[in-house]
Amino acid sequence: MPNFRFAVAQINPIVGDFSGNLELIKLEIAAAAAKGAELICFGEMSLSGYPIEDLAQRPDFLEKAEAALHQLRSWVSTEFPDITVVVGLPTKVTSSHSNWAIAHNSAAVIQNGKITGLYHKHHLPNYSVFDEYRVFKSGNQTLSFNIGELKIALAICEDIWQVGGPVAAAASLGVDLLLVLNGSPFERSKSEARLELARDVAKRENVAVAYINLVGGQDDLVFDGGSFVISAEEVLIGRLPQFDCGLGVFDFISKREIRFHGTSVSNQTENWQIWNALKLGLRDYVEKNGFRSVLLGLSGGIDSAVCAAIAVDAIGADRVFGVLMPSRYSSAHSVSDAEDLAKRLSITVSTEPIQTLVDSFANQLDLSGLALENIQARVRGSLLMAISNSSGHLVLTTGNKTEIAVGYSTIYGDSVGGFAPLKDVEKTLVWSLANWRNSQAKLIGQVEPIPENSITKPPSAELREDQKDQDSLPEYEVLDAILAGYLERRMSFDQLVDEGFDEVTVDKVIRLVDSAEWKRRQGAIGPKISGMAFGRDRRHPITSRYR
């Protein structure tokens, strides 16, 4: 078989930005053609952005997607007629009798100046963050095409997670190369699972596999790229970086012999991946939604310190603003640690004492106890939103997954904000990330961004005298372990007790989690990094007597 050069492109599209996405695609086609590629493949829904959710039910959206595809075909036929392009997009269902969905999740082949084929995704995921039964109609055809003597077939994401189906059908046709278009969101340890899956497909179907993923943040999802090519002998030929756009060029000699023009990227540590997922998720939420800067309250504690460090890494120190809002219960170190953080990060900070405002509420309403604690948090939330309204900052809410799980926050208080970088990051992981980020700075001779005292001191909301988190909650190591079992592994009370956890503690944690659902429904979105994030993943009734 003669040598054949192909390219895979991982790009960062924006949902609904057909003209912008088209320009990204054109740039990669031109770059691939300049390197002699005869084919280039993009990720799932790369022309429209992904996921499109209920936009899939709008005929006008689907018409614009089709128009963008024809613009691309016209441009390719004029500028680069010798290159074959495979691109993902939604297309309109031509027959309406099967179900009420009006869209397919599709891949189009542009070859010889024509749209020579449309492949429609067979297996529609309907679990975790995916709800594709709601908006898409499944396909039922196999699509293969030839470039010279090479036979190529298409699959989209979930199709290769199933044994049989379109992948097996394509392999039975003697396919040499399977192109798999993906919009696969980041989760811890998921990149290796993808690689093993592709190896299984390559071995089972005797086919080389090119896995092309999107990259970028889309609301609460982060697509991490990491596209790769596997030979039919299950050998990893080359892998593109995670969390960055990229173009990979490969020479196909046979399904067992493929060469990568570049240096294959090895997977980094889990903390590196998580930090970069959080950074990319925040950066793209800010940039794609047109915010010029972010604002957050700085308490001197670990959560606000890590949020601020992520924000600086994501968009730069000149676009990150902090506010210190001390009360009579704020310790001296809460102020000094926050000021130390600001200096280390080179961010602009201001100080807005809250005690006079709190006293006004307390005196007028005769507040005490929990009501007095909560009004402090709500005054702080009001100040942040007022500054946001006057200056145009996006407010970051700094709560972590553990606090959000058990409702350890004040609604309309410390929970205010438009984006929550730590929403899917449990408290023990927050500490781990802080130590990791400091270690990375130290390795290259930079100032460690997070003050040591913010990491080591006992966490406290500082809403009453000598308050500590563990006055109300179990130790975080125990609490996070119970939450992991209850939320991610879906363990029952009895199963958790059988694991060795104290019965009273387990009962308390489960009741706190279930009773806090109403708060979570009103909370900000944040980047998903686990297999069970609050939001799309977990839809629990607010009104329920099931325990």
Side-chain angles (χ1 to χ4, degrees):
M1 183 172 295
N3 286 2
F4 163 77
R5 181 166 291 182
F6 70 98
V8 300
Q10 56 183 41
I11 64 170
N12 186 348
I14 300 175
V15 167
D17 185 9
F18 292 107
S19 60
N21 298 341
L22 196 54
E23 290 307 309
L24 292 177
I25 290 167
K26 287 178 179 180
L27 287 172
E28 297 300 330
I29 292 171
K35 294 182 178 182
E38 298 174 61
L39 176 146
I40 182 170
C41 185
F42 295 85
E44 183 176 6
M45 293 280 199
S46 46
L47 195 53
S48 63
Y50 179 76
I52 60 173
E53 302 188 69
D54 281 5
L55 289 172
Q57 299 175 14
R58 294 188 59 95
D60 57 331
F61 186 87
L62 301 177
E63 288 162 6
K64 288 183 178 179
E66 183 179 358
L69 176 63
H70 284 286
Q71 289 178 48
L72 180 61
R73 179 208 59 76
S74 176
W75 179 83
V76 169
S77 66
T78 301
E79 301 294 330
F80 301 102
D82 296 329
I83 195 167
T84 298
V85 176
V86 178
V87 63
L89 76 160
T91 59
K92 192 182 294 186
V93 171
T94 54
S95 60
S96 59
H97 61 274
S98 180
N99 64 29
W100 68 280
I102 65 170
H104 285 299
N105 182 338
S106 304
V109 178
I110 301 173
Q111 192 172 33
N112 299 320
K114 300 177 182 179
I115 299 169
T116 57
L118 279 175
Y119 173 83
H120 306 311
K121 188 174 182 177
H122 283 223
H123 297 283
L124 303 178
N126 208 57
Y127 58 87
S128 182
V129 300
F130 301 106
D131 198 10
E132 293 198 2
Y133 286 170
R134 174 181 172 84
V135 295
F136 290 120
K137 183 178 182 292
S138 62
N140 56 16
Q141 91 285 27
T142 300
L143 177 62
S144 65
F145 59 96
N146 286 71
I147 297 181
E149 299 177 32
L150 188 73
K151 185 176 283 291
I152 302 167
L154 303 183
I156 300 177
C157 203
E158 191 74 12
D159 289 339
I160 67 165
W161 292 82
Q162 317 297 323
V163 176
V167 174
S172 70
L173 300 175
V175 165
D176 301 290
L177 175 64
L178 179 68
L179 302 175
V180 187
L181 288 70
N182 291 272
S184 181
F186 173 77
E187 288 177 19
R188 295 152 75 171
S189 304
K190 191 176 183 181
S191 59
E192 288 306 311
R194 296 175 189 143
L195 194 59
E196 291 310 309
L197 172 69
R199 283 193 168 111
D200 288 345
V201 171
K203 179 180 181 180
R204 184 173 65 246
E205 309 298 350
N206 188 30
V207 65
V209 178
Y211 184 105
I212 306 97
N213 198 18
L214 300 176
V215 68
Q218 172 61 34
D219 295 342
D220 53 349
L221 301 181
V222 180
F223 300 101
D224 57 313
S227 305
F228 59 83
V229 172
I230 297 281
S231 75
E233 293 188 335
E234 308 166 61
V235 176
L236 174 63
I237 304 301
R239 176 159 48 185
L240 275 61
Q242 284 184 290
F243 310 108
D244 201 1
C245 298
L247 181 72
V249 178
F250 298 81
D251 282 344
F252 191 102
I253 291 88
S254 74
K255 65 175 70 176
R256 291 174 176 77
E257 185 180 356
I258 305 170
R259 295 170 188 165
F260 179 40
H261 287 268
T263 302
S264 185
V265 177
S266 299
N267 267 3
Q268 300 282 353
T269 65
E270 184 172 87
N271 278 343
W272 181 93
Q273 292 184 49
I274 292 170
W275 189 274
N276 280 276
L278 300 175
K279 183 176 77 172
L280 179 57
L282 173 57
R283 186 198 74 192
D284 275 8
Y285 191 81
V286 169
E287 301 293 358
K288 292 180 179 181
N289 287 288
F291 293 102
R292 66 184 186 188
S293 52
V294 300
L295 174 75
L296 71 164
L298 299 181
S299 66
I302 186 66
D303 296 326
S304 61
V306 169
C307 277
I310 292 169
V312 168
D313 283 359
I315 62 174
D318 60 324
R319 300 172 67 188
V320 179
F321 295 81
V323 186
L324 286 65
M325 296 172 285
S327 75
R328 71 162 58 112
Y329 300 115
S330 298
S331 61
H333 62 71
S334 72
V335 174
S336 62
D337 290 342
E339 290 174 338
D340 186 16
L341 172 78
K343 183 178 180 181
R344 289 165 180 263
L345 294 176
S346 299
I347 64 174
T348 301
V349 295
S350 59
T351 301
E352 300 291 345
I354 68 168
Q355 197 57 53
T356 301
L357 295 170
V358 170
D359 289 343
S360 297
F361 279 98
N363 293 336
Q364 180 162 331
L365 300 175
D366 193 23
L367 300 179
S368 62
L370 183 61
L372 182 57
E373 292 182 30
N374 284 343
I375 203 65
Q376 296 172 67
R378 291 191 174 114
V379 165
R380 289 182 171 123
S382 294
L383 286 173
L384 288 171
M385 294 311 299
I387 296 169
S388 168
N389 290 158
S390 63
S391 301
H393 307 304
L394 167 68
V395 175
L396 303 181
T397 180
T398 59
N400 61 68
K401 185 176 187 176
T402 305
E403 295 171 347
I404 292 168
V406 296
Y408 194 64
S409 64
T410 302
I411 192 77
Y412 321 125
D414 52 332
S415 64
V416 302
F419 198 77
L422 302 181
K423 184 173 183 177
D424 199 27
V425 182
E426 65 270 23
K427 186 75 170 188
T428 50
L429 181 55
V430 175
W431 278 309
S432 178
L433 290 174
N435 285 313
W436 174 85
R437 183 62 183 85
N438 277 357
S439 71
Q440 297 303 297
K442 192 173 181 179
L443 277 175
I444 57 176
Q446 293 181 347
V447 173
E448 296 172 58
I450 300 169
E452 185 65 22
N453 199 45
S454 294
I455 298 173
T456 58
K457 66 185 178 184
S460 170
E462 294 192 329
L463 298 177
R464 63 175 184 268
E465 202 71 49
D466 296 323
Q467 183 183 28
K468 300 291 185 292
D469 288 6
Q470 268 55 64
D471 297 341
S472 306
L473 300 173
E475 292 291 331
Y476 277 117
E477 289 77 6
V478 174
L479 178 54
D480 281 347
I482 294 173
L483 290 172
Y486 183 55
L487 297 172
E488 295 194 28
R489 296 164 62 193
R490 296 176 175 84
M491 296 173 70
S492 68
F493 170 86
D494 290 337
Q495 289 172 320
L496 288 165
V497 172
D498 289 344
E499 290 268 308
F501 295 109
D502 172 69
E503 288 187 26
V504 174
T505 303
V506 171
D507 181 68
K508 177 181 179 179
V509 171
I510 289 176
R511 289 181 180 276
L512 287 172
V513 171
D514 290 352
S515 63
E517 182 64 26
W518 69 279
K519 284 187 182 181
R520 290 191 289 272
R521 293 285 181 95
Q522 301 180 64
I525 67 168
K528 168 185 164 67
I529 63 163
S530 75
M532 179 58 72
F534 292 121
R536 299 176 195 242
D537 272 349
R538 187 177 189 270
R539 306 176 195 184
H540 194 277
I542 296 172
T543 305
S544 171
R545 292 185 180 177
Y546 181 76
R547 292 287 181 263

